[in-house]
Amino acid sequence: MSALSIREVRKAHQGTPILKGINLEIEDGEFLCLVGPSGCGKSTLLSMIAGLDTIDSGEVSIGGRVVNHLSPKDRDIAMVFQSYALYPNMSVRENVSFGLEIRKVPQAERQAIVQRVAQTLQMEHLLDRKPSQLSGGQRQRVAMGRAIARDPALFLFDEPLSNLDAKLRVEMRTEIKLLHKRMGTTIVYVTHDQIEAMTLSDRIAVMRAGEVQQFASPQEIYDNPVNLFVAGFMGSPSMNFIRAKVETQGAGFGLRLDTHGASHLMPAQGIDAALRSRVGQEVIFGVRPEQITHRPDGAGADQLHTLRLPVELVEPTGPDTLLLVPINGQEVTCRVHPTHACAAGEHLDLTFDLSKAVYFDAKTEQRLL
Amino acid sequence: MADASNPATGTNLGRVLIYAALALTCLYYLLPLYVMVVTSLKSLDEIRTGNLVAPPQNLTFDPWIKAWSSACTGVNCGGMRGYFMNSVMFTIPAVMLSTLIGAANGYVMTMWRSRFSDILFAALMMGCFIPFQVVLLPMARTLGVLGIANSVLGLVFVHTVYGLAFTTLFFRNYYITIPDELVKAAKIDGAGFFLIFRRIILPLSIPIIVVSVIWQFTQVWNDFLFGVVFSSGESQPITVALNNLVNTSTGVKEYNVNMAAAIIAALPTLFVYVVAGKHFVRGLTAGAVKG
Ligand SMILES: Nc1ncnc2c1ncn2[C@@H]1O[C@H](COP(=O)(O)OP(=O)(O)OP(=O)(O)O)[C@@H](O)[C@H]1O
Ligand SMILES: [Mg+2]
């Protein structure tokens, strides 16, 4: 029995399709992240799961029960909002116990639950304050407490951390992950921060314009993006996309890479079938910055390919240094250990690890396999 | 040093000018009230012989007593007392009802929006611009059909209906600043329509309730036209009675009694302003409720 299953869910607003047939299914205890650029329909999908908005067609089931026609209160869910949506006129204690009170939980039990939740989230000292007397992080905590108190089958989070400053965001991220580990509840978490998605989730659904582009584990999405959009969305700094012409190279194929004055043929392996019909045409060669680096010692040789490239710009980030090199008239980002970095204007031997390189059709932007 | 002191003198001079202007304005508005008060405390002889703005030589409260309990309005010589009570009797229910219904309207129009919300709101806004005179005949007919013509109940009805456009506008514009995530959260917590209104929305509405109450109280209490048209004889409001008192043509004009009666008629609105005026300004400028 899956904890949440979404089948062919569609939604339109005034004739404009917002969700165009969403299919997702997660198991009990899984952490699902919905990511995608602003306006792609993440919040809309979450509202449909919560029952705050009706779906045009399709089916949503929670814990094996179709909930299409159930109101939010009957869906056994709790939700944490971006603005926290704490009741301003109630104290923290009342905020947390409001839902319990409405569900006619006896007073004594209510108090016990509030106490337990406050302990879990280390906010016992805040219980008698009003939301206006709390900091952003504390409000966030209370909003989570309100959700936890009800002990629902499914948690929904809509960008819960986006109003916090960078440092607090990282702290709360860790806290949410620990909380999930401890309680083992199923979570659907909306974010447009791909790092949040990578670090928190068991599975990620990358959305664009009302469609799920890819639904897989974080590593799978990172290593094997199905198209250019997913490849570009996940990862920071973003994957390099180099437009290059396909040429034959012995029995196989290669991609023509030009830098100032020098021309190289980069072997492209494992996708012969796709390249055969594209000889003489351009494809997009996708390679992540960390896959272009200084020559590692004694690594397997046949997947590595070294080019001597002119470095145009050097950006130290601390643990790594990013180098910008021009290839086919584009800036390509490489990530090297600071000790191997050189000054701008110099040439450097850079090794391409092609085992994780991906290739896309130049027109459809779909992955070539 | 000279540089530092110049801006300071500039501010001081500006301040003096501002306060002078404020004082003048105050004087301009308070002078009539002052004249009313002193006149109401003088005997008729003193009014005839003395200066308009001079304080009373022989302080007398007789005009007030007469205005309250024995002045003649037309043929009736029971003073303002009965009419004052009439006004109280329809003003308080009308203010409460129109405020409550306005709050409910605003709540529905912002938090439970439907396709018709905006059309309905536009229609209600028209209500703010309809002059009193336009509604007189249809209203008279409606009151007749309902069987509450010429009664205090009828006035309650008229003022509630007429005030709804304004109170709805107040509450709607206030509620639009409340994030709808608040209502969503309450829905997920399991609260229904009325519970959300009572437990979440109304407690946030104090500033705008004050605005609505002051506005409606002033409108309803000071209304003359509806009062003169939709009531008669014993059920007339104080504004109409005051007019009758002043226009009663028998005998000499008792300016002191008239002034006392006018102050009595104005006292409740003054009282409301003094008590709640601070909140009025605050409510008018109140913005979003941050959670
Ligand atoms: N009530 C509505 N009427 C019309 N269009 C709407 C309505 N609500 C949302 N939309 C549209 O639906 C699309 C998806 O909105 P949604 O809020 O789900 O985006 P999102 O992915 O959550 O974006 P963000 O990351 O900015 O929160 C947007 O293009 C938005 O303009
Ligand atoms: Mg959103």
Side-chain angles (χ1 to χ4, degrees):
Chain A
M1 184 190 73
S2 60
L4 170 69
S5 134
I6 297 168
R7 274 181 230 108
E8 276 305 307
V9 164
R10 286 169 197 281
K11 177 74 180 179
H13 272 305
Q14 286 122 34
T16 319
I18 308 290
L19 297 178
K20 307 168 184 167
I22 305 285
N23 287 291
L24 293 171
E25 186 143 355
I26 54 170
E27 299 303 319
D28 226 17
E30 271 196 298
F31 197 124
L32 165 68
C33 270
L34 301 175
V35 288
S38 198
C40 70
K42 306 179 297 284
S43 298
T44 308
L45 182 56
L46 211 62
S47 300
M48 321 234 121
I49 299 173
L52 292 169
D53 205 347
T54 56
I55 59 179
D56 291 351
S57 68
E59 195 179 274
V60 176
S61 7
I62 296 172
R65 184 172 59 131
V66 177
V67 294
N68 281 19
H69 299 293
L70 293 184
S71 62
K73 70 179 198 305
D74 299 322
R75 293 192 178 198
D76 201 9
I77 51 157
M79 190 155 171
V80 176
F81 295 89
Q82 179 173 1
S83 67
Y84 317 133
L86 301 180
Y87 311 126
N89 54 310
M90 299 186 196
S91 69
V92 169
R93 187 190 304 281
E94 291 164 329
N95 263 282
V96 174
S97 64
F98 184 64
L100 301 170
E101 185 192 329
I102 291 172
R103 272 154 225 269
K104 310 232 160 29
V105 176
Q107 168 87 27
E109 199 175 324
R110 238 157 47 205
Q111 275 178 355
I113 293 175
V114 170
Q115 212 53 44
R116 202 191 60 226
V117 167
Q119 244 159 33
T120 310
L121 293 172
Q122 289 146 35
M123 54 177 207
E124 287 142 299
H125 59 295
L126 304 177
L127 281 177
D128 293 311
R129 295 212 199 151
K130 287 280 171 68
S132 57
Q133 299 164 320
L134 301 177
S135 72
Q138 290 169 333
R139 286 179 203 186
Q140 223 295 311
R141 221 170 267 266
V142 175
M144 292 212 307
R146 189 169 63 180
I148 292 172
R150 296 242 321 281
D151 192 22
L154 183 63
F155 279 113
L156 306 173
F157 287 80
D158 192 353
E159 307 201 22
L161 305 184
S162 57
N163 282 348
L164 302 180
D165 64 53
K167 188 166 175 295
L168 203 53
R169 196 149 63 211
V170 175
E171 277 173 31
M172 290 305 290
R173 194 172 77 199
T174 314
E175 204 156 311
I176 290 178
K177 185 152 190 172
L178 285 174
L179 207 63
H180 174 243
K181 223 171 171 166
R182 199 155 4 125
M183 304 199 307
T185 30
T186 319
I187 294 181
V188 180
Y189 186 106
V190 167
T191 175
H192 54 227
D193 179 343
Q194 45 97 15
I195 297 181
E196 244 170 57
M198 289 293 291
T199 50
L200 285 172
S201 54
D202 297 313
R203 281 204 274 175
I204 296 179
V206 183
M207 293 180 61
R208 171 165 69 157
E211 286 174 326
V212 173
Q213 303 281 305
Q214 189 167 7
F215 176 44
S217 71
Q219 202 59 48
E220 175 70 9
I221 285 191
Y222 193 75
D223 290 340
N224 286 309
V226 295
N227 58 27
L228 194 78
F229 173 79
V230 175
F233 194 79
M234 304 301 289
S236 169
S238 172
M239 184 186 266
N240 295 300
F241 298 117
I242 308 166
R243 289 182 163 265
K245 202 172 264 180
V246 181
E247 293 180 13
T248 50
Q249 184 184 34
F253 302 92
L255 299 176
R256 177 59 63 188
L257 302 184
D258 293 322
T259 63
H260 296 318
S263 183
H264 312 272
L265 200 59
M266 176 72 67
Q269 289 154 353
I271 52 158
D272 287 1
L275 293 185
R276 182 157 296 124
S277 59
R278 289 183 170 81
V279 174
Q281 297 173 19
E282 276 193 337
V283 295
I284 297 169
F285 170 40
V287 56
R288 294 206 181 269
E290 65 267 28
Q291 288 151 14
I292 314 175
T293 184
H294 57 92
R295 178 178 265 290
D297 307 317
D302 64 329
Q303 294 281 19
L304 301 180
H305 196 88
T306 305
L307 301 180
R308 190 163 181 78
L309 296 167
V311 175
E312 280 196 333
L313 202 68
V314 179
E315 294 177 339
T317 65
D320 299 303
T321 296
L322 303 178
L323 306 177
L324 290 182
V325 299
I327 297 179
N328 289 2
Q330 292 168 251
E331 299 299 340
V332 173
T333 310
C334 319
R335 193 175 202 159
V336 304
H337 196 270
T339 53
H340 294 269
C342 63
E346 292 177 11
H347 280 65
L348 191 68
D349 281 334
L350 286 164
T351 300
F352 288 64
D353 177 359
L354 297 178
S355 62
K356 288 190 171 170
V358 288
Y359 306 88
F360 303 96
D361 186 284
K363 280 206 194 64
T364 65
E365 303 192 338
Q366 291 301 307
R367 174 95 178 268
L368 297 176
L369 290 167
Chain B
M1 282 325 279
D3 274 342
S5 65
N6 267 344
T9 345
T11 351
N12 282 341
L13 191 66
R15 275 195 175 235
V16 168
L17 285 176
I18 286 170
Y19 281 119
L22 286 176
L24 265 173
T25 318
C26 272
L27 196 66
Y28 181 78
Y29 280 98
L30 285 178
L31 202 59
L33 182 63
Y34 167 78
V35 170
M36 282 173 78
V37 172
V38 293
T39 308
S40 74
L41 297 173
K42 292 174 186 171
S43 66
L44 266 181
D45 281 340
E46 194 182 332
I47 293 172
R48 260 194 299 276
T49 55
N51 185 322
L52 188 65
V53 293
Q57 316 261 261
N58 305 307
L59 199 63
T60 167
F61 290 99
D62 289 346
W64 282 78
I65 294 163
K66 185 169 184 198
W68 180 247
S69 53
S70 66
C72 294
T73 58
V75 291
N76 193 330
C77 286
M80 289 282 130
R81 187 168 43 192
Y83 304 104
F84 186 92
M85 289 327 285
N86 282 348
S87 277
V88 171
M89 295 289 279
F90 72 78
T91 302
I92 290 178
V95 168
M96 281 174 22
L97 276 175
S98 56
T99 299
L100 197 67
I101 301 175
N105 281 349
Y107 170 59
V108 173
M109 280 180 184
T110 50
M111 309 290 172
W112 299 76
R113 299 177 63 80
S114 74
R115 273 176 301 148
F116 309 109
S117 303
D118 286 331
I119 302 170
L120 202 66
F121 183 60
L124 262 168
M125 279 319 84
M126 296 278 291
C128 294
F129 300 109
I130 294 178
F132 278 35
Q133 292 80 348
V134 173
V135 298
L136 288 183
L137 284 177
M139 189 56 88
R141 178 95 186 95
T142 311
L143 291 179
V145 170
L146 293 176
I148 50 175
N150 287 332
S151 69
V152 166
L153 198 61
L155 280 178
V156 171
F157 179 80
V158 172
H159 283 297
T160 304
V161 169
Y162 194 82
L164 271 185
F166 295 91
T167 55
T168 303
L169 175 73
F170 291 149
F171 281 97
R172 189 261 187 193
N173 286 353
Y174 184 76
Y175 289 158
I176 210 117
T177 65
I178 296 180
D180 31 321
E181 288 193 344
L182 215 54
V183 174
K184 289 185 185 175
K187 279 186 197 169
I188 289 179
D189 264 344
F193 182 88
F194 287 107
L195 198 65
I196 296 177
F197 186 51
R198 204 160 49 79
R199 296 283 302 275
I200 314 281
I201 301 300
L202 272 188
L204 296 179
S205 311
I206 308 295
I208 203 69
I209 289 176
V210 171
V211 169
S212 176
V213 164
I214 290 186
W215 171 269
Q216 277 300 93
F217 190 91
T218 320
Q219 292 294 310
V220 176
W221 184 273
N222 288 343
D223 164 70
F224 180 77
L225 187 63
F226 284 160
V228 88
V229 174
F230 296 126
S231 66
S232 61
E234 290 296 291
S235 70
Q236 281 176 332
I238 192 161
T239 44
V240 177
L242 179 65
N243 176 67
N244 293 348
L245 171 79
V246 175
N247 287 340
T248 299
S249 48
T250 53
V252 285
K253 276 230 179 292
E254 296 180 294
Y255 289 109
N256 49 1
V257 175
N258 291 355
M259 291 300 177
I263 296 173
I264 289 173
L267 224 42
T269 43
L270 269 178
F271 174 76
V272 168
Y273 265 106
V274 168
V275 169
K278 191 172 64 187
H279 302 281
F280 183 68
V281 178
R282 211 180 288 161
L284 278 182
T285 55
V289 187
K290 285 268 149 46

